[in-house]
Structures are given as structure tokens and as C-alpha cells.
Amino acid sequence: MSGIYIHIPFCKQACTYCDFHFSTNLSKKEDMIRAIAAELYHRKTESQDVVETIYFGGGTPSVLSVAEINFLIEAVYANYTVSADPEITVEANPDDLTSEKINQFSQTKINRLSVGVQSFFDADLKLMNRAHNASEALKSIEGSVRLFPNITIDLIYGIPGMSNERWRHNVQTAIDLGVPHISAYALTVEPKTALKKLIENGKVIAPRDEVAENHFHILREMLEANGFIQYEISNFGKPGYFSRNNSAYWLGKRYIGVGPSAHSYDGKHRSWNVANNSFYLKGIASGKPVFEREVLSAADRYNEYVMTGLRTIWGVSIDKIKTEFGIVFSEHLLRQSHRFVNQGFLVWEDEVLKATPAGKFLTDGLASDLFMV
């Protein structure tokens, strides 16, 4: 097993673009923490592999106290074999990262912070209904980098009204702050989100693909010129600072996900917990299953490998496909990839298929055309 993902399903307020599972009602927070610890205990027999990463996602894990996060970390250590140097990441919002809390985090086993900045402009943060402002974002990162050598921040591009100049300012600010890892995502309009309704009501202009693509190329150029490596389409790290947790997902390693809506993968099956806090709490309390499970076919696993592989610097190995899926799949990949290689979007390097600079922004679409249907 590669890692354990812990989903904390609480937020102070709802961001307009978010479609992750969370609740702004924190009244059941203590019950939830105990339930997640119970799930960790009950699932400890699923794997005897060493845990290499522990990742707190959400939601907003930083709404928990340091003691509450420590309680869950110790629950992992009590029930699983953890490596001597695990990567332990906590997602945090800038408004939660007071000097006191950063200092408290630094005295625990937590060794990596993921800070949800999104933008250094108040207008953007207001549009997204973020709980912090630009000043808090700067202050939280300045305080964090002094105690956490390993820190990543999230940025969002393609925001309506964001000029190339403003996006350059966001990227340059992140570079100047000295963070060794940056994750950047295009703003997407998901169904049933507040952003979707704002656009439908004409209150917000819909994001434009050409703006997002321009921002993507600016991002790549600026970060690569400053020593960052784009090891996955949305993730840039300096040498030695790639996310071990996320890299494990893209490389197909196994993981257990606990908490409402969390996903798990064991190499052949994928499961996901119920995305409802009340149902999750009741299920854990009664000992009833709180998850659904599917068996992945060879085609499912091949498609996932192609999708994740093309997004990374590691690419898609034809030898691995021959070994794990058979000659029918390898011939399919060679046949389907031919026209994209000719168009300059994909390239074969030592029997590994990778996206070219021209194809990087298009990888999800390219991958879908390589799928085995």
C-alpha cells in the first residue's frame, strides 16, 4: 500500500466552484473524528504494506484543531505499519494558518502543508467566495515557509476577468515567496455549483478556454524558467519536492481512503464511501458498510493507466502495457496514437508515449481517444 487518504468533510463556507463533498455545519465534528478513527481501525486488515504517505484532504482539514489532527495521525500509527520517513500532508486555508497554528503544526509529525491560496487578488477571492483575503494568503505562506521546507500552494487560472498580466503576478508572487511546489488548475464550471448558477443568471461571465490555455502556457514558461519541473499537468515541483502522495496515485499504487466520499484502490478494485455525513456516521456506528465497490476490468485499468500516464513526465510504457494487459492493448495504443504523433501532440521516447509541449494542455482529450472502449 502506498498511502492513506483522510477526508475531512467540513468547511467554514462554500466556494462557488467547489463540487467536493463537505458540510458547513461543524456540529458533528467530534463524532466524525471518532468515526474516521474507527474506520481506520476496522480497515487495518486490508493491507500489510508499509504506509508511505498520509494525506488530509477535504473539505478543509485545517478547520480541525492540531490535537484533532494528531489524534487521527496517531490512529494511523496505531493500526498500520508506517515508514520511517512518511510524507504527512495537511491541506489548509490561509485564514486558518495563524502564527500559533503554524508553530503547533511544526511540532507534530506533519511535514508538508498544502495551502489553498487560489489567487493573490481580493476580487478573484471574492468571486470564488473564499474565506480568506489576499493579505492573509501572503502572511500565511510567509509564516509557513519559515517552519516547513516542504510546502505547496494551489492557484487557479482562467478566472473570468483575469488578464495575462494579473495571472503573471500570481505566479511571480508564488515564486518570490519561495515555495518549492505549486499546483495550478483551470477554473471549471461543475454542475450543481454556485458558480454554475451565477453564470446561468448572467452575474458572472463563463470561463473561456482560450484564456485558460494562455494562462497555462504562461504558467509553464515562468515556473520552468525558475527551476520547477512539470511532473504532472497541474503540478510543478523543484527537484526533491514532488508530491509523494499524488505521484503514488498517478503511478497506480494502492491506497485506502477513509471518511465520507473518500475513494480507495487496491490494484483491482475501486471503492468509494458514501458522500453523506449522517449516513457515514450511522454506518460506522452500526458496523454496516458505508461504501460501494467495483471490480475494474482490464480495459478499465488500461484506460486509467493511459489517462494518468499521459498527464505525467513518466508517460505510458508500451512494455508495461504488453506485460500487464497483453498484445491486443499494446497494438491498440500504437494504432490509436499514430495520428497524434504525426500531429505533434504525442511523442515516443524509448518506448514510452508522452505528451509534447503542444499536447500538454490537451492530454485528457488525447487520452480519451486512446482508450479501449
Side-chain angles (χ1 to χ4, degrees):
M1 182 174 64
S2 173
I4 290 180
Y5 171 79
I6 301 174
H7 188 85
I8 305 301
F10 300 111
C11 289
K12 289 180 180 177
Q13 61 190 52
C15 300
T16 57
Y17 58 85
C18 184
D19 69 340
F20 293 156
H21 171 66
F22 68 92
S23 172
T24 55
N25 181 353
L26 276 63
S27 62
K28 297 290 185 181
K29 183 162 64 79
E30 292 184 8
D31 293 339
M32 183 63 67
I33 293 167
R34 287 193 292 268
I36 290 173
E39 186 184 0
L40 284 166
Y41 170 78
H42 290 304
R43 298 183 65 181
K44 65 181 180 179
T45 58
E46 290 186 18
S47 175
Q48 299 303 312
D49 295 344
V50 174
V51 172
E52 300 167 356
T53 63
I54 302 170
Y55 192 98
F56 287 83
T60 310
S62 58
V63 301
L64 301 189
S65 69
V66 175
E68 289 168 334
I69 293 176
N70 257 338
F71 174 75
L72 292 175
I73 292 174
E74 293 307 319
V76 175
Y77 273 81
N79 294 294
Y80 301 83
T81 301
V82 181
S83 71
D85 62 338
E87 177 189 86
I88 303 180
T89 305
V90 173
E91 291 182 354
N93 278 356
D95 50 299
D96 292 323
L97 289 178
T98 62
S99 297
E100 181 183 8
K101 196 158 190 176
I102 294 169
N103 184 59
Q104 290 174 344
F105 275 150
S106 72
Q107 297 176 42
T108 69
K109 291 185 174 73
I110 298 164
N111 51 29
R112 186 172 184 266
L113 293 181
S114 176
V115 187
V117 171
Q118 318 312 354
S119 176
F120 292 103
F121 289 92
D122 285 332
D124 297 333
L125 298 173
K126 184 176 181 180
L127 183 148
M128 294 183 284
N129 197 40
R130 297 291 293 170
H132 68 279
N133 59 40
S135 176
E136 288 173 320
L138 288 169
K139 186 175 180 181
S140 69
I141 298 168
E142 288 168 349
S144 296
V145 294
R146 287 196 286 267
L147 294 175
F148 284 88
N150 196 355
I151 181 174
T152 179
I153 68 171
D154 286 353
L155 294 175
I156 293 180
Y157 57 88
I159 298 171
M162 177 181 278
S163 64
N164 288 349
E165 181 182 6
R166 201 153 88 180
W167 175 237
R168 286 182 184 277
H169 176 85
N170 271 341
V171 179
Q172 189 61 53
T173 300
I175 292 169
D176 293 343
L177 285 166
V179 297
H181 189 284
I182 296 170
S183 296
Y185 307 94
L187 181 67
T188 55
V189 184
E190 302 293 347
K192 300 179 181 179
T193 60
L195 180 60
K196 176 75 170 176
K197 292 179 180 178
L198 288 170
I199 292 171
E200 289 175 344
N201 294 334
K203 296 181 179 180
V204 173
I205 299 172
R208 294 164 53 198
D209 289 343
E210 59 269 29
V211 172
E213 185 170 1
N214 285 338
H215 289 177
F216 176 77
H217 292 307
I218 289 170
L219 174 75
R220 288 186 58 243
E221 291 168 5
M222 291 183 68
L223 292 185
E224 289 178 357
N226 283 274
F228 288 82
I229 299 169
Q230 186 182 24
Y231 67 104
E232 193 269 345
I233 292 302
S234 301
N235 287 270
F236 300 76
K238 291 191 173 181
Y241 289 96
F242 294 0
S243 167
R244 288 161 58 186
N245 174 79
N246 292 353
S247 296
Y249 293 155
W250 301 320
L251 293 172
K253 294 186 179 181
R254 294 174 290 184
Y255 58 91
I256 288 177
V258 296
S261 81
H263 284 231
S264 301
Y265 175 69
D266 67 3
K268 294 183 179 180
H269 308 89
R270 192 171 299 284
S271 62
W272 53 96
N273 286 352
V274 61
N276 181 293
N277 288 3
S278 294
F279 291 166
Y280 175 83
L281 291 172
K282 291 176 183 177
I284 294 295
S286 64
K288 295 179 180 178
V290 295
F291 63 89
E292 293 183 56
R293 190 183 193 207
E294 67 174 339
V295 178
L296 299 175
S297 67
D300 291 332
R301 290 183 284 113
Y302 162 85
N303 291 345
E304 287 194 9
Y305 173 55
V306 169
M307 173 65 81
T308 55
L310 275 190
R311 292 181 61 91
T312 72
I313 59 172
W314 302 292
V316 179
S317 166
I318 195 71
D319 288 338
K320 180 174 179 176
I321 288 177
K322 287 178 183 176
T323 301
E324 295 191 11
F325 305 106
I327 193 69
V328 171
F329 286 88
S330 62
E331 289 180 347
H332 173 80
L333 179 66
L334 290 167
R335 183 170 57 252
Q336 292 297 106
S337 64
H338 184 71
R339 68 185 175 100
F340 298 121
V341 172
N342 288 341
Q343 291 170 349
F345 296 134
L346 298 177
V347 63
W348 286 100
E349 295 181 358
D350 299 324
E351 302 298 304
V352 175
L353 187 65
K354 298 181 179 181
T356 65
K360 283 184 181 294
F361 190 72
L362 309 171
T363 51
D364 288 351
L366 295 171
S368 66
D369 284 330
L370 304 179
F371 286 172
M372 181 70 78
V373 180

